[in-house]
Amino acid sequence: MPSGYEQHLDWVAQRRRSLKERLAKRFAEPVSLTLEIGCGHGHWLVDYAAAFPDKTCLGIDIIGDRIERAERKRQRAGQGNLSFVRGEAFETLDLMPPQVTLAEVFILFPDPWPKKRHWKKRLFSLPFLDELAKRSDPGVLCHFRTDHDPYFDWALELLPEQQAWEREEGREWPFERETVFQARAPSYQSLILRRV
Ligand SMILES: C[S@@+](CC[C@H](N)C(=O)[O-])C[C@H]1O[C@@H](n2cnc3c(N)ncnc32)[C@H](O)[C@@H]1O
């Protein structure tokens, strides 16, 4: 009888296999993706993909029923240039087929994890910027927006600690459409990074 820990390892291995297979099937050909990480119910990306029909868009979120709702929205909109996948951000990037690269990245209102002991859970982090950089050619833009001022300052403070991304000051936000969290936010700040 396998131990609880062995069962957990089996479950993780199975989850990874299934995600890898789904990604390989969906992106069998080389493609450069517009990636939204933590897309929630997909409101923003459905509109973005409709506005830019020549782009191939992928939204990922760790919560299954958010992705199901996003997928229903995509189907109603009849959009062929857009997919949604349930997955954890690092794991999904790690399991993408090698021929998948990033054209641009959006991280909109990620969970701020305000308590100091939880900062290590923040998505926008040095390891995450490294992971994105592996799939990004020079010039790729990464867009980050948050309503949590300390998270924004924290993101700025990380930048000198890495070399792969530089701040693009003064660059216009490419597409304005309120996300669910943006609609609730009294104010927010935006940061655009360019892959060096
Ligand atoms: C605060 S919500 C913002 C949702 C949407 N971007 C918006 O602005 O309305 C953060 C989203 O990120 C997702 N998320 C958090 N950590 C994640 C991770 N490690 N990988 C993928 N998605 C994640 C959550 O499930 C949630 O839907």
Side-chain angles (χ1 to χ4, degrees):
M1 175 102 176
S3 69
Y5 183 59
E6 283 165 342
Q7 280 177 340
H8 173 72
L9 290 182
D10 273 357
W11 180 79
V12 170
Q14 209 177 318
R15 182 189 71 207
R16 288 179 63 87
R17 252 196 321 275
S18 151
L19 181 57
K20 191 172 180 176
E21 279 168 19
R22 273 179 290 142
L23 291 167
K25 209 162 147 190
R26 200 157 310 174
F27 303 115
E29 303 295 327
V31 64
S32 189
L33 290 178
T34 293
L35 179 66
E36 188 191 354
I37 300 165
C39 62
H41 298 147
H43 297 77
W44 188 87
L45 196 58
V46 167
D47 287 348
Y48 186 82
F52 298 98
D54 295 338
K55 297 188 178 191
T56 303
C57 302
L58 174 67
I60 64 177
D61 201 286
I62 200 167
I63 297 184
D65 66 278
R66 293 193 177 165
I67 287 298
E68 281 164 25
R69 282 181 61 177
E71 180 53 24
R72 286 199 291 275
K73 250 188 228 98
R74 184 196 73 78
Q75 284 173 9
R76 280 197 300 275
Q79 271 169 250
N81 62 328
L82 168 63
S83 319
F84 290 102
V85 166
R86 179 190 180 180
E88 195 283 323
F90 277 91
E91 190 165 275
T92 309
L93 283 164
D94 180 40
L95 297 175
M96 290 273 194
Q99 68 272 18
V100 175
T101 57
L102 300 176
E104 53 185 352
V105 179
F106 292 89
I107 308 166
L108 308 178
F109 301 89
D111 298 313
W113 296 107
K115 290 186 182 147
K116 188 169 185 183
R117 68 174 186 278
H118 291 148
W119 287 358
K120 57 183 178 297
K121 297 185 180 194
R122 284 177 171 170
L123 192 58
F124 192 98
S125 61
L126 290 175
F128 192 60
L129 289 175
D130 270 358
E131 204 59 38
L132 292 177
K134 287 182 200 161
R135 300 249 176 199
S136 305
D137 289 331
V140 166
L141 299 179
C142 173
H143 308 76
F144 168 74
R145 184 171 267 186
T146 180
D147 56 343
H148 189 74
D149 292 344
Y151 195 2
F152 187 80
D153 295 341
W154 192 76
L156 289 184
E157 281 164 24
L158 291 181
L159 295 183
E161 295 178 41
Q162 55 80 54
Q163 279 83 45
W165 300 91
E166 267 178 9
R167 186 174 186 183
E168 282 279 283
E169 285 191 80
R171 186 181 271 269
E172 203 181 329
W173 195 256
F175 182 71
E176 287 298 350
R177 189 71 90 247
E178 268 191 349
T179 73
V180 171
F181 278 73
Q182 183 168 329
R184 298 177 193 159
S187 66
Y188 53 82
Q189 298 189 76
S190 307
L191 173 65
I192 302 181
L193 305 179
R194 183 177 45 81
R195 176 76 167 100
V196 180

